[in-house]
């Protein structure tokens, strides 16, 4: 067995989101020196179960093995039929197991990908469940940099508390780029309400859900942001007017003030 090849594959498996649990099985399979082999990994996401079958092939010219792809079978809660998709391993940034699950849930993932010519480019990826490829996979739609989706700008249209703190804002954007359904705190009429959001590059916006995972109309959410901004500006305007009245109003002599007070009494 090629030790360096084993270490490379071990790390590749780990950083593709399968952890370290498959290390001993990988070594055992490689020692047998068979032309190809598979490893199985199970993941639980809430009440959904995802089973991944990792595919390895041995080079015909050397003793090196290659991690070519992994097939995910997703069994969703309350669904009789499972969903299947194969994800291919490239030299560049691979789709991780969690990102694969997010894609199969219909969400979008932002990745640095490598073209056939070896050029690295950034793109949002989303699964199209209405179209299938010749290999049986669902088609992956790509929304490249030139498509013009700005996640930060899309978020700024909503009254999200996390955007006010640089660190929380960075974490929120990073999570959404991985395709996660992320909780966020919305400010509404002075109240803090927890809702869930996901990136929607196709429509250059974000999708918002309430605690019961019911989709909230985007136009309504943006109107709430506008209303929140108007309330803030009105408060600031009122405060400014009061300050102006205090500063610019005619000065009343102290004696006149006392006289006015005694008359009223």
């Amino acid at each position: 067995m090629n030790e360096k090849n084993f270490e490379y594959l071990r790390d590749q498996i780990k950083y593709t989101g399968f952890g370290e649990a498959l290390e001993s099985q990988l070594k055992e399979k490689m020692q047998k020196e068979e032309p190809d082999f598979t490893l199985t990994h199970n993941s639980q996401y809430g009440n959904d179960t995802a089973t991944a079958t990792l595919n390895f092939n041995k080079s015909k010219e050397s003793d090196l093995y290659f991690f070519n792809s992994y097939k995910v079978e997703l069994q969703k809660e309350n669904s009789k039929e499972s969903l299947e998709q194969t994800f291919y391993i490239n030299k560049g940034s691979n789709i991780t197991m969690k990102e694969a699950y997010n894609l199969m849930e219909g969400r979008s993932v932002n990745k640095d990908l490598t073209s056939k010519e070896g050029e690295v480019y950034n793109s949002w990826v989303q699964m199209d469940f209405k179209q299938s490829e010749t290999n049986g996979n669902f088609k992956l739609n790509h929304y490249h940099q030139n498509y013009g989706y700005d996640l930060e700008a899309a978020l700024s249209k909503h009254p999200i508390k996390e955007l006010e703190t640089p660190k929380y804002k960075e974490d929120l954007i990073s999570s959404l780029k991985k395709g996660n359904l992320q909780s966020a705190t919305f400010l509404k009429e002075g109240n803090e309400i927890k809702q869930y959001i996901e990136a929607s590059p196709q429509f250059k916006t974000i999708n918002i859900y309430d605690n019961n995972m019911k989709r909230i109309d985007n136009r309504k959410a943006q109107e709430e942001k506008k209303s929140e901004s108007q309330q803030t500006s009105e408060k600031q305007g009122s405060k400014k007017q009061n300050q102006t009245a205090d500063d610019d109003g005619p000065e009343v002599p102290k004696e006149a003030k006392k006289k006015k007070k005694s008359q009223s009494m």
Side-chain angles (χ1 to χ4, degrees):
M1 183 189 75
N2 188 315
E3 194 65 33
K4 284 188 176 180
N5 184 213
F6 163 72
E7 290 172 1
Y8 177 80
L9 292 175
R10 178 195 64 194
D11 292 343
Q12 201 175 26
I13 291 169
K14 178 181 177 180
Y15 295 117
T16 311
F18 298 105
E20 300 173 352
L22 297 174
E23 186 176 334
S24 59
Q25 292 178 53
L26 173 66
K27 181 174 277 189
E28 187 181 318
K29 294 277 191 180
M30 288 179 72
Q31 285 172 340
K32 289 182 179 179
E33 298 186 355
E34 293 177 350
D36 55 69
F37 65 86
T38 61
L39 298 175
T40 305
H41 182 274
N42 293 308
S43 302
Q44 198 75 25
Y45 301 103
N47 294 320
D48 297 340
T49 304
T51 301
T53 304
L54 289 65
N55 302 304
F56 298 83
N57 285 90
K58 189 180 180 184
S59 169
K60 292 178 181 178
E61 288 81 30
S62 67
D63 61 349
L64 297 179
Y65 279 95
F66 298 95
F67 178 21
N68 296 316
S69 63
Y70 64 94
K71 181 181 180 181
V72 178
E73 184 180 344
L74 177 63
Q75 186 62 55
K76 291 180 64 63
E77 186 188 18
N78 302 325
S79 177
K80 291 180 180 179
E81 293 184 6
S82 61
L83 200 63
E84 290 183 358
Q85 182 83 356
T86 298
F87 298 90
Y88 294 93
I89 303 299
N90 304 303
K91 289 181 180 179
S93 182
N94 296 312
I95 299 288
T96 67
M97 180 61 199
K98 179 64 189 299
E99 289 169 343
Y101 168 73
N102 286 336
L103 286 170
M104 294 175 82
E105 278 285 274
R107 293 190 286 273
S108 304
V109 172
N110 183 265
K111 298 293 289 184
D112 285 326
L113 303 172
T114 308
S115 67
K116 291 179 180 178
E117 294 75 30
E119 293 181 1
V120 178
Y121 64 95
N122 183 267
S123 178
W124 284 89
V125 183
Q126 187 173 25
M127 204 171 282
D128 187 343
F129 296 104
K130 294 179 180 178
Q131 295 190 63
S132 296
E133 304 280 12
T134 52
N135 60 2
N137 264 359
F138 291 107
K139 184 184 176 185
L140 292 177
N141 291 331
H142 289 76
Y143 302 99
H144 300 257
Q145 292 153 308
N146 296 337
Y147 186 75
Y149 178 53
D150 187 336
L151 176 58
E152 191 172 339
L155 287 167
S156 69
K157 294 177 182 177
H158 303 274
I160 299 172
K161 185 180 179 181
E162 285 79 6
L163 299 178
E164 297 170 3
T165 309
K167 181 67 173 75
Y168 293 157
K169 179 180 178 181
E170 184 184 335
D171 291 345
L172 178 65
I173 290 173
S174 176
S175 181
L176 291 171
K177 283 185 173 183
K178 290 174 183 174
N180 293 326
L181 181 67
Q182 183 64 42
S183 65
T185 311
F186 282 69
L187 303 171
K188 297 183 180 181
E189 299 175 357
N191 298 317
E192 294 185 0
I193 299 172
K194 181 187 266 192
Q195 292 180 329
Y196 295 88
I197 59 176
E198 64 186 14
S200 179
Q202 184 182 1
F203 300 105
K204 299 179 181 177
T205 184
I206 59 169
N207 296 330
I208 307 168
Y209 302 87
D210 63 17
N211 270 331
N212 299 316
M213 295 312 298
K214 184 180 178 183
R215 178 90 173 266
I216 295 171
D217 181 34
N218 235 314
R219 192 178 298 171
K220 181 183 175 184
Q222 288 184 26
E223 283 173 1
E224 287 170 351
K225 162 78 173 178
K226 192 175 179 183
S227 173
E228 197 73 30
S229 300
Q230 283 177 344
Q231 285 177 16
T232 305
S233 60
E234 282 171 8
K235 285 177 185 176
Q236 289 174 344
S238 175
K239 190 177 179 182
K240 193 172 181 182
Q241 283 179 356
N242 290 338
Q243 286 175 344
T244 306
D246 291 341
D247 295 343
D248 300 339
E251 190 177 333
V252 182
K254 289 180 182 178
E255 289 181 5
K257 283 183 180 178
K258 287 179 182 177
K259 189 175 178 182
K260 195 173 181 182
K261 188 176 181 182
S262 63
Q263 284 176 353
S264 64
M265 287 173 69

